[in-house]
């Protein structure tokens, strides 16, 4: 976060943002008695410090804890050991952290730090992707997802749908509140990324009613119900598709190509000796069963140009070869 604070904007400095996070944690009700050994806000701030310092493990963070820097930088009175941290944080519902994400976002918005993140026509690029952050064959809880293997063994896991504003020219990203992918108590049916994405977009709008976004996701998200959800919440989208998973769409593009309705665009970057090639089709049907869901399709190839010694591109010894498979 510190990277995007321009000089002179004190309320966007790392210190100010850490204080804001701390205040947010202070407002989370502590479920333990007031005489708990270490305050919940100190435990949460310590966990935040661990990620902020990119500590490779709880053990490594324990070392930093002993050296004393985290107290002053993060305003922590007492830093818990890893066991105590787990005991206090495990029972917390992830949703209690939402106001902290929102308050940091508001601060960035007020400080105009989001202006640099605008990607296209006043819209921000919002990347969504599922990730697994815990798995075990022995340790599990009621909220664990479970994968039953052929030999009958079970892998337990926790996943989440991560969300962040990104920009190709900015190193910093701005994370939004992720959506946990976890089973509700008493249900056997696994939660999944698709359901999490639906919940995510429904919760996004109350927190950010005016945020203009282009959602970008992998091909798992290119399904009609999800696209309809995005449209319902006034979100634009750039989603991946795969020929193997979206056969109907690719067949339609092929048919349109034969009918001469596909457009091509090619750009030579002579300095980099690369040719960028695109083909696109507007308003193609995503699949046969939901033909009313129309999408704009774009396919891209990148080719490297090898020139002959004389630099003549029409010489038979010059050639172009694909650098990347079409995406
Ligand atoms: Zn679990």
């Amino acid at each position: 976060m510190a990277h995007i604070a321009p000089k002179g904007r004190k309320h966007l400095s790392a210190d100010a943002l850490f204080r804001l996070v701390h205040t947010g944690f202070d407002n989370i009700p502590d479920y333990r008695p007031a005489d708990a050994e270490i305050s919940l806000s100190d435990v949460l701030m310590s966990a935040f410090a661990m990620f902020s310092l990119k500590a490779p493990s709880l053990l490594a963070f324990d070392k930093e804890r002993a050296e004393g820097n985290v107290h002053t930088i993060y305003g922590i009175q007492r830093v818990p050991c890893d066991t105590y941290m787990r005991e206090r944080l495990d029972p917390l519902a992830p949703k209690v952290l939402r106001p902290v994400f929102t308050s940091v976002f508001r601060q960035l918005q007020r400080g105009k730090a989001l202006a640099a993140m605008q990607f296209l026509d006043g819209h921000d690029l919002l990347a969504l992707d599922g990730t697994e952050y815990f798995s075990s064959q022995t340790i599990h809880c009621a909220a664990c997802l479970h994968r039953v293997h052929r030999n009958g063994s079970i892998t337990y896991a926790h996943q989440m749908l991560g969300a962040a504003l990104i920009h190709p020219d900015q190193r910093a990203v701005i994370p939004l509140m992720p959506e946990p992918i976890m089973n509700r108590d008493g249900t056997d049916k696994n939660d999944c990324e698709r359901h999490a994405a639906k919940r995510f977009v429904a919760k996004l709008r109350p927190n950010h009613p005016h945020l203009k976004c282009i959602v970008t996701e992998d091909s798992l998200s290119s399904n009609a119900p999800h696209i309809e959800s995005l449209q319902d919440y006034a979100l634009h989208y750039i989603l991946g598709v795969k020929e193997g998973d979206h056969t109907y769409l690719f067949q339609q593009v092929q048919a349109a190509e034969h009918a001469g309705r596909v457009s091509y665009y090619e750009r030579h970057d002579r300095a980099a000796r690369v040719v960028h090639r695109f083909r696109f089709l507007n308003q193609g049907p995503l699949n046969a069963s939901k033909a009313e869901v129309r999408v704009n399709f774009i396919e891209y190839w990148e080719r490297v140009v090898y020139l002959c010694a004389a630099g003549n591109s029409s010489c038979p010894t010059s050639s172009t070869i694909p650098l990347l498979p079409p995406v």
Side-chain angles (χ1 to χ4, degrees), residues 75-225:
I76 304 168
Q77 305 272 320
R78 289 191 61 191
V79 183
C81 69
D82 66 328
T83 312
Y84 191 80
M85 196 190 288
R86 288 176 211 265
E87 280 174 10
R88 298 294 308 279
L89 295 185
D90 275 356
L92 276 189
K95 66 179 180 190
V96 300
L97 300 174
R98 180 174 292 275
V100 186
F101 280 91
T102 317
S103 68
V104 171
F105 191 87
R106 295 270 173 276
Q107 188 90 315
L108 297 173
Q109 215 163 22
R110 272 194 294 268
K112 309 230 179 299
L114 296 181
M117 302 301 286
Q118 286 198 352
F119 174 66
L120 183 67
D121 197 19
H123 289 68
D124 293 328
L125 210 47
L126 170 59
L128 301 182
D129 201 6
T131 180
E132 184 163 297
Y133 58 91
F134 167 82
S135 82
S136 170
Q137 297 217 314
T138 50
I139 302 166
H140 55 93
C141 72
C144 273
L145 305 171
H146 36 264
R147 287 192 288 272
V148 182
H149 304 287
R150 275 191 199 149
N151 63 5
S153 67
I154 300 176
T155 299
Y156 301 94
H158 279 233
Q159 300 175 351
M160 67 173 193
L161 182 75
L165 295 186
I166 58 170
H167 190 287
D169 303 328
Q170 302 290 333
R171 282 187 63 211
V173 304
I174 300 174
L176 304 186
M177 174 71 189
E179 179 62 31
I181 305 174
M182 55 200 274
N183 293 346
R184 307 285 155 230
D185 282 354
T187 52
D188 272 349
K189 202 166 182 301
N190 270 334
D191 191 13
C192 67
E193 191 176 325
R194 272 192 191 190
H195 290 153
K198 195 170 182 179
R199 296 193 300 270
F200 176 87
V201 292
K203 292 172 187 172
L204 177 74
R205 275 298 172 230
N207 283 158
H208 306 285
H210 306 299
L211 192 65
K212 289 161 84 178
C213 277
I214 301 167
V215 172
T216 169
E217 294 174 84
D218 63 21
S219 69
L220 201 66
S221 64
S222 287
N223 60 83

